[in-house]
Amino acid sequence: MKKVFASFSIVVLSLVFVACGGTKEQTAGKDNSWQKVEEAKKLTVATSGTLFPSSYYNDENKLTGYDVDVITEVAKRLDVEVEFKEYNVDGQITSVDKGEADLAANDFGLSGDRGKKFILSSPIKYSFDSMIVRKSDDSGIASLEDLKGKKAAGEPNTNYMKIAEKYGAKLVTYDNATNDQYLTDVANGRTDVILNDYYLQKMSVGALPDIPVKILEDVYFNANFTGFLMKKDSVALSKQIDETLKAMTDDGTMKKISETYFQTDVSVEPKEKVEESVSVE
């Protein structure tokens, strides 16, 4: 598998400063985001319930997933209940912005204008981006440049769809659809490609082996990390969550949850990183 590698620390550092507009200590104590949660004894979390393996319903029809399990453990350690509210991506962002949810847990990163209004928790997953195509013909795609004229599937306004549009793809949008619908549409030619996180795509393809699609080999880009999305002024809440995530990392809980869903520890920064970066600014 051909890859180009480089240090990831600069990428992480730049994203943190874009997200926070400075250190959290500079603005700590100027909001009641943690006080609100503490007094209510409840953390309200926006999520999708359709994004495998981050947030989805299992065979027992129970909401589960990597992001779901991590934030549930965080809430437990903070001695508050967790209430999940389900929306599509735009709905999750809006619910956090309006204060209807304290945070969003759905494999969120920061890009473009989102960093002006929101912050992320400490990273809970390090990854990079990839593309799913048809097994039979790779959907006629061998590079990002080949997206021109192809039908790219995804939710509207995501960074993945913005990348696809930048390279000339025709956008086919979905509203909180499940993985089987996305993959089946690529297989039957309704769409040609899905851009998304590599680990999510790897797990989705592995969970649905009868659908003739695959991750396009040798085309990996945008080293990234994801966390819990909060309003930019929710610094006090973010501090509580970050301290809890650190404790979970130190005692091995993050590693255990990660390996449950990804069969590897995605919660720590890997030694090797994909160098190619695609901007939609």
Side-chain angles (χ1 to χ4, degrees):
M1 191 168 67
K2 294 178 289 185
K3 291 185 181 179
V4 182
F5 301 110
S7 171
F8 192 65
S9 58
I10 295 175
V11 176
V12 172
L13 198 58
S14 63
L15 282 172
V16 168
F17 277 107
V18 169
C20 300
T23 63
K24 292 176 181 177
E25 288 76 8
Q26 290 174 325
T27 53
K30 297 182 180 180
D31 67 271
N32 67 345
S33 55
W34 167 240
Q35 182 182 358
K36 172 188 169 186
V37 171
E38 189 176 32
E39 291 178 352
K41 300 291 287 184
K42 182 174 70 175
L43 183 69
T44 304
V45 177
T47 193
S48 68
T50 59
L51 184 63
F52 179 84
S54 291
S55 171
Y56 68 100
Y57 280 86
N58 62 17
D59 292 340
E60 287 76 42
N61 201 34
K62 178 184 176 182
L63 181 66
T64 189
Y66 180 62
D67 286 50
V68 170
D69 283 10
V70 172
I71 197 60
T72 297
E73 178 65 19
V74 168
K76 179 181 177 181
R77 295 186 183 210
L78 291 174
D79 196 27
V80 298
E81 295 182 2
V82 61
E83 178 186 1
F84 291 101
K85 294 184 176 181
E86 295 171 28
Y87 310 85
N88 62 15
V89 171
D90 282 346
Q92 291 172 63
I93 294 172
T94 299
S95 70
V96 173
D97 189 33
K98 291 184 175 180
E100 296 168 357
D102 299 304
L103 60 85
N106 204 67
D107 200 58
F108 274 103
L110 284 177
S111 61
D113 291 337
R114 192 180 296 172
K116 298 176 183 178
K117 299 180 69 174
F118 301 96
I119 58 174
L120 284 182
S121 68
S122 298
I124 66 169
K125 180 168 73 65
Y126 293 88
S127 187
F128 51 92
D129 296 338
S130 57
M131 295 190 279
I132 286 178
V133 295
R134 281 184 295 279
K135 273 188 177 180
S136 59
D137 60 358
D138 291 356
S139 298
I141 298 171
S143 67
L144 286 165
E145 285 72 19
D146 293 330
L147 289 173
K148 185 174 183 179
K150 301 297 182 182
K151 293 171 287 187
E155 284 202 30
N157 303 318
T158 63
N159 195 50
Y160 302 110
M161 292 294 264
K162 291 176 182 178
I163 292 172
E165 184 176 33
K166 175 179 180 177
Y167 282 92
K170 300 175 183 177
L171 307 187
V172 181
T173 59
Y174 294 69
D175 183 12
N176 219 28
T178 55
N179 287 299
D180 59 334
Q181 182 177 348
Y182 274 110
L183 300 189
T184 298
D185 284 353
V186 171
N188 65 27
R190 180 174 183 266
T191 59
D192 298 306
V193 63
I194 306 164
L195 280 69
N196 213 298
D197 172 79
Y198 169 77
Y199 288 111
L200 299 190
Q201 293 198 326
K202 179 181 178 182
M203 299 304 296
S204 297
V205 171
L208 299 164
D210 294 333
I211 302 177
V213 296
K214 67 176 185 178
I215 295 177
L216 186 64
E217 296 180 3
D218 301 337
V219 185
Y220 305 103
F221 51 100
N222 283 359
N224 60 71
F225 65 87
T226 63
F228 301 127
L229 188 78
M230 289 163 276
K231 289 187 71 171
K232 201 164 188 176
D233 58 6
S234 294
V235 178
L237 175 61
S238 178
K239 182 179 179 181
Q240 292 290 329
I241 289 174
D242 285 354
E243 290 176 352
T244 307
L245 288 172
K246 182 180 185 305
M248 290 167 60
T249 297
D250 291 345
D251 68 19
T253 301
M254 290 296 294
K255 181 176 186 291
K256 181 178 179 181
I257 298 174
S258 176
E259 290 178 344
T260 298
Y261 290 98
F262 298 103
Q263 288 77 60
T264 189
D265 188 3
V266 301
S267 70
V268 295
E269 184 180 343
K271 295 178 180 179
E272 297 176 319
K273 291 296 175 288
V274 175
E275 183 181 51
E276 184 174 1
S277 179
V278 179
S279 172
V280 291
E281 296 294 333

